[in-house]
Amino acid sequence: MHGWIIIDKPLGLGSTQVVSAVKRALRQGGYGKFKVGHGGTLDPLATGVLPVAVGEATKLAGRMLDSDKVYAFTIRFGEQTDTLDAEGPVTATSDVRPTLAQVEAVLPRFTGPISQVPPAYSALKVDGERAYDLARAGEAVVLAVRGVTIHGLSASPVEGDDALQDITLNAHVSKGTYIRSLARDIALALGTVGHVTMLRRLKAGPFTLAPAISLDKLGEAGMARTLEHLLLPLRAGLDDIPALPLSPDQAGALRQGRVLTGIAKDDGQYFACDGDMPVALVQVEAEEARVVRGFNL
């Protein structure tokens, strides 16, 4: 059981609760004890793709955190909340409602490299404390501006040319992007205020909704001892990088932590494998391959 289980996270649960559900399913199915971790936090009010790494795949969870994500989200205009979503109390209001044409006109300002201030209610740390803990305690939270990249941003079509109460957008974003901050800033650019009422992750790194399962299906598979049928291979988390086929001798050397020489490949990261067996994530520089993450399989 080394690989990925892709969960379609339901509304109201945190990512760590999903990890606990996977651990419980493994235990109920008698699969033994494996490390389990998630590949990118989703807020309780968000749904969608949550990659859960099992066993040796947990060594790639950090890499998944650094990957691009794709979201669909709905902005409700006219009210801003302290959490920037539907959970918090309203802190500002506006009677201004934009049209679809006005929304589409400002989206280019938020495409490409941009700067944003993360929400006060976020998991970022301030002097060793989580920002959301400080915010809930009533303390003023000031977070630093950060640079992120919005690779693509588009609005879902709506009928007519009337002023909009809500608009749904799709965004392809870099790591570290806060959709709630993006929604706040888009609303402000339109001369109004707004907050997120729906947030759904459609893609995380190479993983889409296609293989995602519900927690109910996860539980059923655990009880039926068929979880292995839902498990994507470890290499599925490395679909975006090229493979480096190894001879048995080379595979043995990498497993011992040795450097391979004479690797006639361009510099960069590779997924080193011995046939179908994952061996390591390696970095090739000047025709030398060094282990970044080794897999004990």
Side-chain angles (χ1 to χ4, degrees), residues 179-254:
I179 298 298
R180 288 175 291 152
S181 293
L182 182 62
R184 172 199 62 203
D185 296 343
I186 289 171
L188 291 173
L190 289 162
T192 184
V193 293
H195 67 277
V196 170
T197 58
M198 183 280 292
L199 178 59
R200 183 158 176 78
R201 188 153 69 192
L202 308 179
K203 188 176 182 183
F207 298 118
T208 66
L209 280 168
I213 61 166
S214 67
L215 288 181
D216 286 343
K217 187 172 182 180
L218 172 76
E220 291 168 3
M223 295 297 289
R225 300 186 177 183
T226 57
L227 276 177
E228 61 271 19
H229 301 313
L230 304 177
L231 191 73
L232 300 182
L234 182 149
R235 62 181 174 274
L238 297 168
D239 275 357
D240 56 334
I241 68 171
L244 177 64
L246 303 174
S247 69
D249 287 346
Q250 288 175 318
L254 279 185

Side-chain angles (χ1 to χ4, degrees), residues 4 56-64 66 234-244 246 251 254-255 257-258 260 268-274 277-284 288-297:
W4 302 88
E56 288 296 284
T58 56
K59 294 178 178 178
L60 300 173
R63 188 174 183 276
M64 199 60 56
D66 291 340
L234 182 149
R235 62 181 174 274
L238 297 168
D239 275 357
D240 56 334
I241 68 171
L244 177 64
L246 303 174
L254 279 185
R255 289 189 178 104
R258 287 154 55 191
L260 298 184
Q269 286 197 340
Y270 291 83
F271 174 41
C273 51
D274 181 5
M277 180 65 68
V279 175
L281 178 65
V282 299
Q283 181 75 30
V284 173
E288 292 185 341
R290 286 176 167 79
V291 173
V292 176
R293 288 284 186 275
F295 306 121
N296 297 317
L297 299 172

Side-chain angles (χ1 to χ4, degrees), residues 82-239:
D82 65 351
T83 57
L84 304 183
D85 58 27
E87 189 175 39
V90 174
T91 56
T93 61
S94 171
D95 293 329
V96 175
R97 301 291 184 273
T99 64
L100 175 61
Q102 290 171 328
V103 172
E104 290 178 330
V106 304
L107 294 187
R109 290 196 227 168
F110 298 94
T111 305
I114 67 167
S115 296
Q116 64 173 201
V117 177
Y121 285 83
S122 67
L124 294 175
K125 287 190 175 181
V126 179
D127 296 329
E129 300 286 337
R130 296 288 184 187
Y132 55 67
D133 288 333
L134 296 174
R136 286 170 184 152
E139 295 188 31
V141 177
V142 180
L143 296 171
V145 175
R146 58 164 57 189
V148 298
T149 301
I150 312 299
H151 300 292
L153 186 60
S154 61
S156 297
V158 294
E159 293 184 4
D161 195 28
D162 298 330
L164 300 172
Q165 179 70 43
D166 305 274
I167 187 72
T168 296
L169 306 177
N170 282 348
H172 174 195
V173 304
S174 71
K175 70 170 183 176
T177 301
Y178 281 91
I179 298 298
R180 288 175 291 152
S181 293
L182 182 62
R184 172 199 62 203
D185 296 343
I186 289 171
L188 291 173
L190 289 162
T192 184
V193 293
H195 67 277
V196 170
T197 58
M198 183 280 292
L199 178 59
R200 183 158 176 78
R201 188 153 69 192
L202 308 179
K203 188 176 182 183
F207 298 118
T208 66
L209 280 168
I213 61 166
S214 67
L215 288 181
D216 286 343
K217 187 172 182 180
L218 172 76
E220 291 168 3
M223 295 297 289
R225 300 186 177 183
T226 57
L227 276 177
E228 61 271 19
H229 301 313
L230 304 177
L231 191 73
L232 300 182
L234 182 149
R235 62 181 174 274
L238 297 168
D239 275 357

